[in-house]
Amino acid sequence: MASPRRMDPELPQYTNYVVSRPVYNEPSFLEQHERQLRERQTVREKLVKCCSCSRRRAIRMLKSLLPILEWLPKYQVKEWLLSDTISGVSTGLVATLQGMAYALLAAVPVGYGLYSAFFPILTYFIFGTSRHISVGPFPVVSLMVGSVVLSMAPDEQFILPSTNDTLDNITRIDSGARDAERVLIASTLTVLVGIIQLVLGALQIGFVVRYLADPLVGGFTTAAAFQVFVSQLKIVLNVSTKNYSGVLSIIYTLVEIFENISTTNIADFIAGLLTIIICLAVKEINDRFKHKIPIPIPIEVIMTIIAAAISYGVDLEKKCNAGIVKSIPRGFLPPVLPSVNMFSQMATASFSIAVVAYAVAVSVGKVYAIKYDYAIDGNQEFIAFGISNIFSGFFSCFVATTALSRTAVQESTGGKTQVAGIISALIVLIAIVALGKLLEPLQKSVLAAVVIANLKGMFMQVCDVPRLWRQNKIDAVIWVFTCIASIILGLDLGLLAGLLFGLLTVVLRLQFPSWNDLGNVPGTDLYKSTKDYKNVDEPEGVKIVSFYSPIFYGNIDGFKKCLKSTVGFDAVQVYNKRLKALRKIQKLIKKGQLRATKNGIVGDVCATNQGFEPDEDPEDLDIPTKEIEIRVDWNSELPVKVNVPKVPIHSLILDFGAVSFLDIVAVRSLRMIVKEFHRIDVNVYFASLKAPTASEEIQ
């Protein structure tokens, strides 16, 4: 029966409720409520169902593989086309600039960044399930690609031999051969990443991204942002350093930058610094007034146009020795087959890149899918990005995913579907075909500054650490550990270390789970932790223990320790002490110094009690219980000097409502625990046990 009292005009509030039902144990419940048997299909039946095909199922599978067939026929031209066009133009301008900038991270010529901002969109438009993400380069993934490229094609492999006419000690590098080799490595890596993603998607292994927890991803991307910052800092300063990769590479790079800081090019430094300051300031304006500004100010594009014009007009390359883009290929290069021989050298790194690229894209896609109330298919996203990377890898591109800032532009400017993505690709196409020549005077420091300015959001993730520490200290530790490991060990090893550390914390949480001693809230049927709540009463003679974890072979010892800590005694030790005391009492009874009443209570018959002697070390107490027929009140004073622990309870209730499963070791151990407590006259009850078979086994 419920007694409602309306406290809110929309939501009824209830002050109390009363429930009356019988008290059940497992057998009595099954007598009144028969368990329903589940029909289990045989392997053959499952195969027949899986392999059967109908017209409806074929259409559904085709639409699942080609999501464009699902949403394009429903495209609302009048309502959406204008918004998608505006969004596509804005996103295309940003994608053009970011493609060139992120090419520096991938250690390939900037022109190839334009290809990477164009080709992946074409295939994702057909196979992707997210309506809002902008597909293309992403700084973290580009940096991971660059680390592989630099490790396989360092400058030292392309040093030109000195000639007799050379009078100086300047080391000359065959930049043409170096760039060609690096482009081949990057495109080969892209194809391999695409193959891995396609295989994982075909095997329905989209769940793998679940192991990349938010704290782990946050720490990893923050470390990656720091790595990106250091890699671009030397370009802003125009300081030459060796290309380091692997463990402590970022430390070596920083040391060499500061050693050569005196060679900083002032023109590049000023251009880069001004670009960073202005971009950050305008981005802040865009964020604060995003409800008043219909379209975010494309400050990166504006700064690029101004910087290119100034560099061309002043001729900064000749007058100030500034580092400029120099040459951007016009048009498209013919497709090139990847070098399959390189697959073995980049297999480990490619798997990390494949998972990270997928995780970034899906996490961003889910944000907008929730916001606009539609679903994205994780496995199909694996397939979509796999096909996109394989396809673009043949056209000298590097790995594509999505960029947070670029996706935010596409969504905030009114993008409704991937039609906006195709229009942005057309803008990049125009830049590739016609505008490349105009960007050749652009200083590389400006592109590097644009990259640094876009790292603000990643660096601000540091502010999440105090919040994580307040909410869950283990998650905060995972964040910090992953960040530090990724900075010191490099992104690939750092990600692996963070993943293993995160899994270790899960194992430890299962190994040492939490538990509570429960008490009753007076006047209710509620039971709360006696440690966390005041005015909670423990029923007299009853202990209630709630355990918050699966119980299995790995933590059964911890479960036993929890019980000992809660009840305040060891049941085995109590039983052994009682046997020892009974043995001494039997001796005194045989000597006539003690007698047993009808109720089994032991009483003194003489003042001299030889059984009253100090307790000794435990002896062999293997006395059959059937030989002991004397009943003793163990909570009263004993006539013999044996330290028998008091047992203040008669019942122990184990609340297993939060226990998801029990393995065979746990079941055997629980049966032993029940037996141990029964021997000392303590009844054990199980509450809310989810596994009926385990309940039957324990009983």
Side-chain angles (χ1 to χ4, degrees), residues 374-387:
Y374 66 92
I376 63 173
D377 185 343
N379 291 310
Q380 180 61 28
E381 287 296 292
F382 249 141
I383 294 173
F385 278 102
I387 294 174

PDB file of all heavy atoms in Angstrom, residues 374-387:
ATOM      1  N   TYR A 374      20.635  10.121 -32.482  1.00  0.00           N
ATOM      2  CA  TYR A 374      20.753   9.030 -33.443  1.00  0.00           C
ATOM      3  C   TYR A 374      21.883   8.116 -32.983  1.00  0.00           C
ATOM      4  O   TYR A 374      22.607   8.449 -32.039  1.00  0.00           O
ATOM      5  CB  TYR A 374      21.001   9.552 -34.872  1.00  0.00           C
ATOM      6  CG  TYR A 374      22.323  10.253 -35.098  1.00  0.00           C
ATOM      7  CD1 TYR A 374      23.446   9.565 -35.542  1.00  0.00           C
ATOM      8  CD2 TYR A 374      22.440  11.621 -34.884  1.00  0.00           C
ATOM      9  CE1 TYR A 374      24.644  10.207 -35.761  1.00  0.00           C
ATOM     10  CE2 TYR A 374      23.632  12.278 -35.098  1.00  0.00           C
ATOM     11  CZ  TYR A 374      24.743  11.568 -35.537  1.00  0.00           C
ATOM     12  OH  TYR A 374      25.940  12.216 -35.744  1.00  0.00           O
ATOM     13  N   ALA A 375      22.013   6.985 -33.604  1.00  0.00           N
ATOM     14  CA  ALA A 375      22.985   5.985 -33.151  1.00  0.00           C
ATOM     15  C   ALA A 375      24.077   5.810 -34.191  1.00  0.00           C
ATOM     16  O   ALA A 375      23.839   5.935 -35.395  1.00  0.00           O
ATOM     17  CB  ALA A 375      22.295   4.652 -32.886  1.00  0.00           C
ATOM     18  N   ILE A 376      25.284   5.539 -33.700  1.00  0.00           N
ATOM     19  CA  ILE A 376      26.373   5.161 -34.589  1.00  0.00           C
ATOM     20  C   ILE A 376      26.769   3.721 -34.276  1.00  0.00           C
ATOM     21  O   ILE A 376      26.698   3.280 -33.137  1.00  0.00           O
ATOM     22  CB  ILE A 376      27.589   6.102 -34.474  1.00  0.00           C
ATOM     23  CG1 ILE A 376      28.199   6.051 -33.070  1.00  0.00           C
ATOM     24  CG2 ILE A 376      27.215   7.523 -34.827  1.00  0.00           C
ATOM     25  CD1 ILE A 376      29.493   6.839 -32.961  1.00  0.00           C
ATOM     26  N   ASP A 377      27.174   3.014 -35.295  1.00  0.00           N
ATOM     27  CA  ASP A 377      27.536   1.599 -35.178  1.00  0.00           C
ATOM     28  C   ASP A 377      29.053   1.505 -35.046  1.00  0.00           C
ATOM     29  O   ASP A 377      29.789   1.852 -35.975  1.00  0.00           O
ATOM     30  CB  ASP A 377      27.041   0.845 -36.413  1.00  0.00           C
ATOM     31  CG  ASP A 377      27.271  -0.663 -36.312  1.00  0.00           C
ATOM     32  OD1 ASP A 377      28.077  -1.086 -35.465  1.00  0.00           O
ATOM     33  OD2 ASP A 377      26.654  -1.406 -37.081  1.00  0.00           O
ATOM     34  N   GLY A 378      29.527   1.044 -33.877  1.00  0.00           N
ATOM     35  CA  GLY A 378      30.966   0.985 -33.635  1.00  0.00           C
ATOM     36  C   GLY A 378      31.699   0.090 -34.615  1.00  0.00           C
ATOM     37  O   GLY A 378      32.764   0.451 -35.125  1.00  0.00           O
ATOM     38  N   ASN A 379      31.143  -1.084 -34.901  1.00  0.00           N
ATOM     39  CA  ASN A 379      31.801  -1.998 -35.835  1.00  0.00           C
ATOM     40  C   ASN A 379      31.809  -1.437 -37.257  1.00  0.00           C
ATOM     41  O   ASN A 379      32.795  -1.579 -37.988  1.00  0.00           O
ATOM     42  CB  ASN A 379      31.104  -3.359 -35.808  1.00  0.00           C
ATOM     43  CG  ASN A 379      31.314  -4.094 -34.500  1.00  0.00           C
ATOM     44  OD1 ASN A 379      32.434  -4.228 -34.030  1.00  0.00           O
ATOM     45  ND2 ASN A 379      30.243  -4.549 -33.890  1.00  0.00           N
ATOM     46  N   GLN A 380      30.722  -0.775 -37.652  1.00  0.00           N
ATOM     47  CA  GLN A 380      30.678  -0.181 -38.979  1.00  0.00           C
ATOM     48  C   GLN A 380      31.666   0.983 -39.094  1.00  0.00           C
ATOM     49  O   GLN A 380      32.244   1.217 -40.164  1.00  0.00           O
ATOM     50  CB  GLN A 380      29.259   0.298 -39.288  1.00  0.00           C
ATOM     51  CG  GLN A 380      29.092   0.932 -40.658  1.00  0.00           C
ATOM     52  CD  GLN A 380      29.426  -0.016 -41.803  1.00  0.00           C
ATOM     53  OE1 GLN A 380      29.291  -1.228 -41.659  1.00  0.00           O
ATOM     54  NE2 GLN A 380      29.866   0.526 -42.929  1.00  0.00           N
ATOM     55  N   GLU A 381      31.898   1.688 -37.996  1.00  0.00           N
ATOM     56  CA  GLU A 381      32.893   2.765 -38.008  1.00  0.00           C
ATOM     57  C   GLU A 381      34.293   2.194 -38.240  1.00  0.00           C
ATOM     58  O   GLU A 381      35.113   2.788 -38.946  1.00  0.00           O
ATOM     59  CB  GLU A 381      32.850   3.539 -36.690  1.00  0.00           C
ATOM     60  CG  GLU A 381      31.641   4.432 -36.528  1.00  0.00           C
ATOM     61  CD  GLU A 381      31.610   5.544 -37.565  1.00  0.00           C
ATOM     62  OE1 GLU A 381      32.466   6.438 -37.517  1.00  0.00           O
ATOM     63  OE2 GLU A 381      30.723   5.492 -38.438  1.00  0.00           O
ATOM     64  N   PHE A 382      34.571   1.043 -37.641  1.00  0.00           N
ATOM     65  CA  PHE A 382      35.844   0.368 -37.910  1.00  0.00           C
ATOM     66  C   PHE A 382      35.977   0.087 -39.409  1.00  0.00           C
ATOM     67  O   PHE A 382      37.030   0.333 -40.024  1.00  0.00           O
ATOM     68  CB  PHE A 382      35.912  -0.938 -37.129  1.00  0.00           C
ATOM     69  CG  PHE A 382      36.929  -0.942 -36.017  1.00  0.00           C
ATOM     70  CD1 PHE A 382      36.651  -1.567 -34.810  1.00  0.00           C
ATOM     71  CD2 PHE A 382      38.172  -0.340 -36.176  1.00  0.00           C
ATOM     72  CE1 PHE A 382      37.582  -1.577 -33.784  1.00  0.00           C
ATOM     73  CE2 PHE A 382      39.105  -0.346 -35.162  1.00  0.00           C
ATOM     74  CZ  PHE A 382      38.807  -0.961 -33.965  1.00  0.00           C
ATOM     75  N   ILE A 383      34.898  -0.444 -39.995  1.00  0.00           N
ATOM     76  CA  ILE A 383      34.930  -0.769 -41.426  1.00  0.00           C
ATOM     77  C   ILE A 383      35.075   0.498 -42.262  1.00  0.00           C
ATOM     78  O   ILE A 383      35.860   0.545 -43.225  1.00  0.00           O
ATOM     79  CB  ILE A 383      33.656  -1.542 -41.810  1.00  0.00           C
ATOM     80  CG1 ILE A 383      33.644  -2.916 -41.124  1.00  0.00           C
ATOM     81  CG2 ILE A 383      33.546  -1.699 -43.320  1.00  0.00           C
ATOM     82  CD1 ILE A 383      32.356  -3.692 -41.303  1.00  0.00           C
ATOM     83  N   ALA A 384      34.337   1.548 -41.885  1.00  0.00           N
ATOM     84  CA  ALA A 384      34.375   2.793 -42.656  1.00  0.00           C
ATOM     85  C   ALA A 384      35.768   3.408 -42.655  1.00  0.00           C
ATOM     86  O   ALA A 384      36.299   3.794 -43.709  1.00  0.00           O
ATOM     87  CB  ALA A 384      33.353   3.776 -42.089  1.00  0.00           C
ATOM     88  N   PHE A 385      36.388   3.491 -41.490  1.00  0.00           N
ATOM     89  CA  PHE A 385      37.730   4.077 -41.425  1.00  0.00           C
ATOM     90  C   PHE A 385      38.768   3.138 -42.036  1.00  0.00           C
ATOM     91  O   PHE A 385      39.772   3.593 -42.588  1.00  0.00           O
ATOM     92  CB  PHE A 385      38.088   4.427 -39.978  1.00  0.00           C
ATOM     93  CG  PHE A 385      37.510   5.734 -39.530  1.00  0.00           C
ATOM     94  CD1 PHE A 385      36.395   5.769 -38.726  1.00  0.00           C
ATOM     95  CD2 PHE A 385      38.065   6.937 -39.935  1.00  0.00           C
ATOM     96  CE1 PHE A 385      35.840   6.968 -38.322  1.00  0.00           C
ATOM     97  CE2 PHE A 385      37.525   8.144 -39.543  1.00  0.00           C
ATOM     98  CZ  PHE A 385      36.406   8.165 -38.733  1.00  0.00           C
ATOM     99  N   GLY A 386      38.536   1.827 -41.933  1.00  0.00           N
ATOM    100  CA  GLY A 386      39.457   0.900 -42.579  1.00  0.00           C
ATOM    101  C   GLY A 386      39.463   1.080 -44.086  1.00  0.00           C
ATOM    102  O   GLY A 386      40.529   1.180 -44.717  1.00  0.00           O
ATOM    103  N   ILE A 387      38.274   1.152 -44.689  1.00  0.00           N
ATOM    104  CA  ILE A 387      38.189   1.354 -46.138  1.00  0.00           C
ATOM    105  C   ILE A 387      38.758   2.723 -46.525  1.00  0.00           C
ATOM    106  O   ILE A 387      39.472   2.857 -47.527  1.00  0.00           O
ATOM    107  CB  ILE A 387      36.727   1.210 -46.602  1.00  0.00           C
ATOM    108  CG1 ILE A 387      36.252  -0.231 -46.395  1.00  0.00           C
ATOM    109  CG2 ILE A 387      36.575   1.610 -48.067  1.00  0.00           C
ATOM    110  CD1 ILE A 387      34.787  -0.449 -46.687  1.00  0.00           C
TER     111      ILE A 387
END
